[in-house]
Amino acid sequence: MSQRLKLEIKALDAVEGRDLVVLVGEDLVLSGPAEALAGRDATSLLARMAAASHFKGKAFSGLTLPSPEGAAYERLIVVGLGPSSERGELDFATLGGAIAGRLGGGRDADVVAAMPGAEIEAKQAAEIALGLRLRSYRFDRYKTKSKDKDEAGTLSVTLRVTDPAATRKALKVAEAIAAGVLLARDLVNEPPNVLYPEEFADRAKKLEKLGVEVEVLDEKDLKKIGMRALLGVGQGSRRESRVVVMRWNGAGKSDEPVAFIGKGVTFDTGGISLKPGAGMEDMKGDMAGAACVVGLLHALAARKAKVNAIGVIGLVENMPDGNAQRPGDIVASLSGQTIEIINTDAEGRLVLADVLWYTQDRFKPRFMINLATLTGAILVALAQENAGLFTNSDELAQRLTAAGLATGETVWRMPLGKAYDKMIDSKFADMKNSAGRYAGSITAAQFLQRHVNDVPWAHLDIAGTGMAAKDSEINRSWGPGWGVRLLDRLVRDHYES
Ligand code: BES
Ligand code: MN
Ligand code: ZN
């Protein structure tokens, strides 16, 4: 990863950089501090250029002007806030992203965090900083030509705010979350020859520096525990499987933990039910659920969240070889139930079945939330706009939906039910791992639910949101680190003591 942003927080009293960024609503009126810093004539210059270039102050749109005569800076960059009636819901992270995008790399700029008619609070300024940070991320570790690396260059921003001390404090939290998101992005972007189960476990181990307890279970341990469904998926690979248990103890000893579980298939060929070749390289992202869990624990630990949180990730590589699992095989999962393997490409649910059972059994959590790039069918249903949410708890549904709207990492609830559950009954075993095309995401969720007892549980199918991301104001990375902000927000709003 490269950090392409240098960030400072200062008072609204000077302009030191080559660019000055100011915010305006649809009336194109500058805030007091912006007007003072931009200099005489800035307002009339803006009015003339806005008319000529059809700039209307729409949210996150921008206009770049030469500075007025005699100013000490070079470019005046005006970014829109949209209509003042919608100011209450303005997404400040997206605003920060739009600002970084307008500026581009290799510049140094002062950003005036002030808007006409309303205060920008410290927390909101920190969100702008978060957006700047997320937009400035590039994954260029494997680019050897400096031309590719330097194109963007480092961006230096001085964020100018009303209350620098309060903003610096809020920034610490935002930086913890940003670090978690960027860690998740790195993991998703890494190539599968570099990031295989053992290496993934080593990277998770690094959370120990932040005070997270990290336990790595190897194949010997997993056999002893009885995770045969998970081991069956990994048995066709030269790389050994791993399960990693992470614990952040930020609350009292007697506080029940919350638990997050991630699918970590470091590469999914489909196994013997081999996937078609075109686009198979994308299956390096089939560990985005696990990446999110590691990123989330990083964020929680780095901001010292007052919560006990468990992260458990199942790490395997799904490969076809002479030892690989076959369609027709029957395996017993940790729950004791037997599974007929119909399709070796429906491997994520096999991994999660064991890890879910293990987590509820060992930790008796307040809730379990799992994330998985589980089905292509969720893309058919929801495209890349929402993660699929399946849950046995209306309370979790409501809280996750709200956290989604607050962070922009939105979820959409999908049904569970007896009729769908019946579809995974098997002729030969307790259940089968695939029920064909119809309701593919739901039958996958039903399979997971057969491995969940009466604990509140939610499954997020992130095949559409967790990898191969569309560009947005806060993300230009293939791996977006989806879910870290969502779940951090969920914890912050409801589960911290
Ligand atoms: N990892 C895939 C799902 C996936 C597809 C993730 C596209 C991201 C983008 C999963 O293991 C898989 O192969 N699912 C199958 C299930 C089927 C065999 C029942 C699918 O979606 O086709
Ligand atoms: Mn698969
Ligand atoms: Zn998969």
Side-chain angles (χ1 to χ4, degrees):
M1 184 238 297
S2 66
Q3 275 291 258
R4 291 170 175 274
L5 179 70
K6 275 204 204 117
L7 187 62
E8 276 192 279
I9 308 287
K10 288 187 183 169
L12 286 158
D13 56 5
V15 184
E16 291 165 331
R18 289 163 58 203
D19 293 336
L20 178 63
V21 180
V22 297
L23 309 172
V24 296
E26 289 185 329
D27 55 9
L28 305 186
V29 174
L30 296 178
S31 63
E35 197 169 31
L37 291 174
R40 239 174 4 106
D41 302 340
T43 302
S44 62
L45 189 65
L46 167 60
R48 268 186 294 134
M49 275 304 288
S53 56
H54 307 288
F55 175 78
K56 300 206 162 62
K58 267 183 33 192
F60 318 129
S61 67
L63 181 65
T64 303
L65 310 172
S67 60
E69 276 287 322
Y73 61 96
E74 292 169 13
R75 300 193 300 177
L76 178 62
I77 295 178
V78 186
V79 175
L81 294 163
S84 54
S85 58
E86 286 166 27
R87 210 57 42 93
E89 283 143 60
L90 188 71
D91 179 344
F92 287 91
T94 298
L95 183 64
I99 291 169
R102 263 278 143 185
L103 283 166
R107 306 290 300 189
D108 61 300
D110 290 78
V111 174
V112 180
M115 50 186 182
E119 275 283 297
I120 292 187
E121 293 159 24
K123 265 192 189 161
Q124 297 170 328
E127 282 281 306
I128 295 178
L130 173 68
L132 290 164
R133 180 73 72 204
L134 296 180
R135 177 64 177 267
S136 303
Y137 168 91
R138 297 283 180 286
F139 184 78
D140 55 9
R141 181 172 290 167
Y142 301 100
K143 297 264 192 198
T144 65
K145 307 271 188 290
S146 60
K147 147 177 155 295
D148 296 339
K149 273 193 182 285
D150 293 343
E151 242 164 18
T154 296
L155 171 63
S156 293
V157 170
T158 305
L159 194 58
R160 301 218 168 250
V161 301
T162 341
D163 187 344
T167 303
R168 281 191 200 108
K169 202 170 148 216
L171 184 66
K172 277 195 185 149
V173 173
E175 291 282 21
I177 296 165
V181 175
L182 300 195
L183 170 58
R185 285 184 183 174
D186 270 353
L187 290 168
V188 176
N189 286 327
E190 282 284 13
N193 59 327
V194 171
L195 195 72
Y196 47 91
E198 263 190 271
E199 170 66 18
F200 199 126
D202 287 345
R203 303 243 179 138
K205 201 91 180 115
K206 292 193 177 142
L207 295 189
E208 283 177 342
K209 271 196 220 129
L210 296 169
V212 178
E213 289 172 22
V214 183
E215 201 180 321
V216 179
L217 306 174
D218 64 16
E219 289 198 349
K220 219 177 97 216
D221 302 322
L222 300 177
K223 259 181 214 138
K224 214 161 108 195
I225 293 167
M227 294 207 198
R228 293 200 191 81
L230 180 148
L231 287 167
V233 175
Q235 78 188 30
S237 168
R238 300 283 287 269
R239 305 292 196 183
E240 280 199 17
S241 304
R242 293 285 184 269
V243 167
V244 180
V245 179
M246 294 158 278
R247 273 188 281 188
W248 166 246
N249 305 311
K253 265 222 165 97
S254 58
D255 265 37
E256 283 180 297
V258 295
F260 301 95
I261 290 108
K263 169 181 174 181
V265 176
T266 59
F267 194 71
D268 181 13
T269 64
I272 296 300
S273 314
L274 194 64
K275 286 185 182 294
M280 203 202 272
E281 66 280 8
D282 277 1
M283 283 301 125
K284 72 173 185 176
D286 208 15
M287 30 54 69
C292 172
V293 171
V294 174
L296 175 67
L297 269 102
H298 183 108
L300 294 176
R303 70 172 180 80
K304 300 197 166 34
K306 292 189 177 57
V307 66
N308 293 334
I310 310 277
V312 188
I313 54 179
L315 303 169
V316 302
E317 187 182 49
N318 189 20
M319 299 287 276
D321 85 349
N323 192 47
Q325 170 157 275
R326 290 151 292 257
D329 283 4
I330 293 179
V331 298
S333 75
L334 180 58
S335 72
Q337 304 172 91
T338 56
I339 302 161
E340 181 189 7
I341 309 297
I342 299 293
N343 189 322
T344 64
D345 197 11
E347 84 296 339
R349 64 199 76 182
L350 298 167
V351 172
L352 288 172
D354 280 347
V355 176
L356 284 166
W357 191 269
Y358 179 75
T359 304
Q360 71 188 359
D361 207 41
R362 177 169 169 194
F363 298 108
K364 313 278 185 287
R366 271 175 90 170
F367 67 68
M368 295 199 288
I369 296 177
N370 75 259
L371 301 102
T373 46
L374 204 63
T375 66
I378 204 66
L379 276 145
V380 177
L382 301 173
Q384 296 186 287
E385 308 308 323
N386 285 288
L389 164 64
F390 302 83
T391 180
N392 58 10
S393 157
D394 291 344
E395 184 180 72
L396 269 184
Q398 188 269 320
R399 290 178 172 181
L400 279 165
T401 301
L405 292 170
T407 55
E409 295 184 336
T410 53
V411 302
W412 196 268
R413 192 173 186 179
M414 302 279 286
L416 288 165
K418 275 217 174 78
Y420 295 115
D421 179 74
K422 205 166 167 338
M423 289 170 73
I424 56 170
D425 283 344
S426 153
K427 222 185 288 179
F428 299 104
D430 295 336
M431 69 193 82
K432 55 187 177 185
N433 80 329
S434 165
R437 272 169 18 108
Y438 286 2
S441 301
I442 306 174
T443 53
Q446 294 292 163
F447 186 97
L448 299 184
Q449 194 174 20
R450 287 201 188 193
H451 294 85
V452 173
N453 287 331
D454 46 13
V455 53
W457 156 77
H459 152 53
L460 296 172
D461 193 333
I462 61 167
T465 55
M467 50 181 264
K470 294 194 308 192
D471 281 351
S472 77
E473 294 292 5
I474 57 168
N475 183 57
R476 296 294 149 128
S477 164
W478 187 84
W482 192 97
V484 175
R485 291 173 59 231
L486 169 75
L487 297 175
D488 176 81
R489 181 70 186 234
L490 176 79
V491 169
R492 190 150 27 113
D493 284 351
H494 301 288
Y495 300 97
E496 289 195 56
S497 49

